[in-house]
Amino acid sequence: MPHPAADRLPPLWQDLAPLLPADTEPAPWSGPRWWWAGVLDVEGLALGSLQALATALAAGTGAAGRGRDIALTSRGAAVSFASYTHLRVDGQAVGGFAPLSGFRRTIDGWVRLHANYPHHERALLKGLGVASPDDVDTALLRLSAPEVEERVTAHGGVAARVRTPKEWAESPAGRALQNEPWIRVDTEPGPAPKRAVGAALRGGSGGVLDGLRVLDLTRVIAGPSGSRILGALGADVLRIDPPATPELVEQHIDTGFSKRSAVADFADPAAYRRFRELFEAADVVLLGYRGGSLARFGLEPEALRADFPGLGVVSFDAWGDAGPWAGRRGFDSIVQAASGIASLYGGWDGDLWRPGALPVQALDYATGLGVAAAAAALMGARNRGISGAAHLSLARTALELMRLPAPPPGTERSELDPEVRTSPSAYGELTFVPPPLHVDGRQHDYSRPPQRYGSSGLVWE
């Protein structure tokens, strides 16, 4: 039975229209429309971004003949947006934010800090002029929130002042996003593919993205969660990290299913040469580093499209690629604070008002699904002679969420119990949730557990 009009999903998939056949219809979904029951329609963002991926996959398969049945459920969306929470390693839950990460008071308001990575913790302490984490709160109470934001950022750390939505919308960084789509797509006539892309994109019966080769140059959650589902769908995903700043082990485990992990120092000429050779046979590259940080290696989207015609390039960042914050570091929690979401979710704790947070890191996971959807749409379009690139940002995803109509009054919170899997791995016995899609009427699964971090060579399978 179709959902009533009030329960329909935000049509996020329509941003991909330049890459999809004209007769594309959104992928079907089932289950409740609301379950987190918060101030914002986080459910709509989760379901809409997942539907964008499912729609791109189904449209790509149908364009070549027999289409694949790609569908989604509310439970799949809900648990996938909390996959880190559901992950267990040998029966133990994984850790959360580091002690210095979180909301802190200043002399005039609140800031949100991010210090999960050791180099960001060092930058935070340096920016505040303290030697020990024990001195952070005292230092913050001597500074204004804008001062903290600027000092920490200037030293390479990550901090954001808690703003209201109005303050963010009126700021130069916020104004730069107002006319951007959620997924910005750039297209041009492209060369014929060097080879067929994916069994399903050819109308075959194998894995949905069998044969697709994806270079994953992303970090933390958004990009790696997007490439995780591409790997689950059959793509050969090779994630490459720098040796100087390794990924956190538990985040690698959560997002490392159905892909391989390599470490390479691009400043080493031999390693860089092997890395560049990968592009000759790659179909898609995912770029998730802050704006401008990869330019010295020739890895900006424009340079890659010029060097490798027909390559699908999907890039994303924290704050968008225009405006004064284009090159600034950022994470889901930091964007929530700066954009006004933390203010909307705030509340009173006795006589003290405190900012709050979304029930899940929805900006990360929705952006990651947008990245995966853009990659799938680019490959379907390439088989029709269209080449292109796509760009997203966490801040633009935040704006999309805040623009959605609020959930109906009286909506109550409910729990959608996860369907879990177990598997042995290099890190121990893992308990985890499967990918959030149904393919040809069956719950999809990961093809393999996470491999040991950095264990792969710079080669395609």
Side-chain angles (χ1 to χ4, degrees):
M1 179 181 296
H3 287 265
D7 288 355
R8 289 176 184 167
L9 304 186
L12 301 185
W13 66 274
Q14 291 181 354
D15 279 355
L16 298 170
L19 300 172
L20 303 177
D23 60 352
T24 296
E25 294 289 337
W29 66 284
S30 60
R33 178 58 177 81
W34 289 278
W35 55 89
W36 285 310
V39 178
L40 298 174
D41 187 9
V42 185
E43 298 90 339
L45 180 68
L47 289 165
S49 57
L50 183 55
Q51 187 183 55
L53 172 60
T55 300
L57 292 167
T61 68
R66 187 187 73 81
R68 302 291 290 274
D69 176 14
I70 315 290
L72 55 137
T73 67
S74 299
R75 181 170 72 166
V79 300
S80 70
F81 271 56
S83 65
Y84 191 80
T85 303
H86 295 300
L87 178 66
R88 300 290 184 272
V89 181
D90 289 330
Q92 299 298 310
V94 294
F97 286 102
L100 284 181
S101 295
F103 294 110
R104 293 287 193 282
R105 294 182 68 186
T106 66
I107 198 171
D108 66 343
W110 291 85
V111 292
R112 177 110 195 194
L113 309 178
H114 195 288
N116 286 11
Y117 290 87
H119 58 292
H120 288 156
E121 178 179 323
R122 292 191 295 270
L124 169 64
L125 298 180
K126 188 174 182 181
L128 295 177
V130 299
S132 168
D134 295 336
D135 299 324
V136 166
D137 285 334
T138 300
L140 291 172
L141 289 173
R142 294 172 181 159
L143 299 168
S144 69
E147 286 176 315
V148 173
E149 183 178 81
E150 291 309 314
R151 285 191 183 196
V152 173
T153 300
H155 284 83
V158 189
R161 174 167 67 92
V162 174
R163 293 166 170 81
T164 66
K166 184 175 185 292
E167 288 173 327
W168 175 247
E170 293 176 350
S171 71
R175 288 198 304 269
L177 298 166
Q178 296 300 313
N179 296 320
E180 280 280 296
W182 178 54
I183 303 177
R184 189 182 71 224
V185 173
D186 301 310
T187 61
E188 61 188 14
K194 298 175 184 177
R195 56 191 179 80
V197 181
L201 295 179
R202 302 192 306 270
S205 58
V208 178
L209 295 177
D210 278 357
L212 189 74
R213 290 171 176 161
V214 180
L215 272 176
D216 180 8
L217 305 181
T218 70
R219 303 270 291 175
V220 200
I221 296 176
S225 66
S227 61
R228 174 180 64 184
I229 196 167
L230 295 177
L233 291 162
D236 179 11
V237 178
L238 178 60
R239 174 176 168 175
I240 304 176
D241 283 279
T245 53
E247 184 59 277
L248 302 175
V249 173
E250 290 171 339
Q251 282 186 179
H252 165 68
I253 296 173
D254 179 46
T255 61
F257 290 86
S258 295
K259 67 174 78 169
R260 294 180 295 127
S261 166
V263 173
D265 182 358
F266 294 166
D268 176 357
Y272 182 72
R273 183 173 60 255
R274 292 195 300 273
F275 165 69
R276 291 288 290 193
E277 289 171 355
L278 292 169
F279 283 96
E280 297 294 340
D283 297 300
V284 179
V285 61
L286 311 181
L287 303 173
Y289 287 72
R290 63 187 174 90
S293 62
L294 297 177
R296 67 187 187 278
F297 300 117
L299 297 175
E300 292 290 271
E302 297 78 8
L304 288 172
R305 291 179 67 188
D307 292 344
F308 304 100
L311 177 71
V313 180
V314 184
S315 60
F316 73 96
D317 45 49
W319 307 105
D321 55 2
W325 285 22
R328 186 172 291 206
R329 294 174 176 86
F331 297 91
D332 180 306
S333 60
I334 298 298
V335 175
Q336 286 189 45
S339 67
I341 291 174
S343 176
L344 292 173
Y345 275 77
W348 290 94
D349 181 8
D351 294 332
L352 179 65
W353 182 89
R354 295 180 179 274
L358 296 174
V360 291
Q361 291 190 250
L363 308 185
D364 267 332
Y365 288 105
T367 302
L369 287 170
V371 166
L378 283 167
M379 291 303 94
R382 194 177 77 170
N383 285 345
R384 304 193 311 276
I386 300 172
S387 177
H391 180 266
L392 302 91
S393 71
L394 297 179
R396 183 57 187 81
T397 300
L399 181 59
E400 193 71 28
L401 173 59
M402 289 190 289
R403 285 177 172 175
L404 296 179
T411 300
E412 296 183 357
R413 184 179 178 87
S414 61
E415 296 294 331
L416 301 182
D417 294 332
E419 179 180 355
V420 298
R421 302 283 191 270
T422 59
S423 173
S425 79
Y427 296 93
E429 182 80 6
L430 303 183
T431 302
F432 56 93
V433 295
L437 288 176
H438 284 71
V439 179
D440 295 335
R442 299 179 62 185
Q443 168 66 57
H444 204 55
D445 281 301
Y446 294 115
S447 58
R448 59 187 177 189
Q451 308 298 291
R452 182 69 65 181
Y453 182 78
S455 61
S456 179
L458 298 178
V459 295
W460 294 114
E461 286 190 328

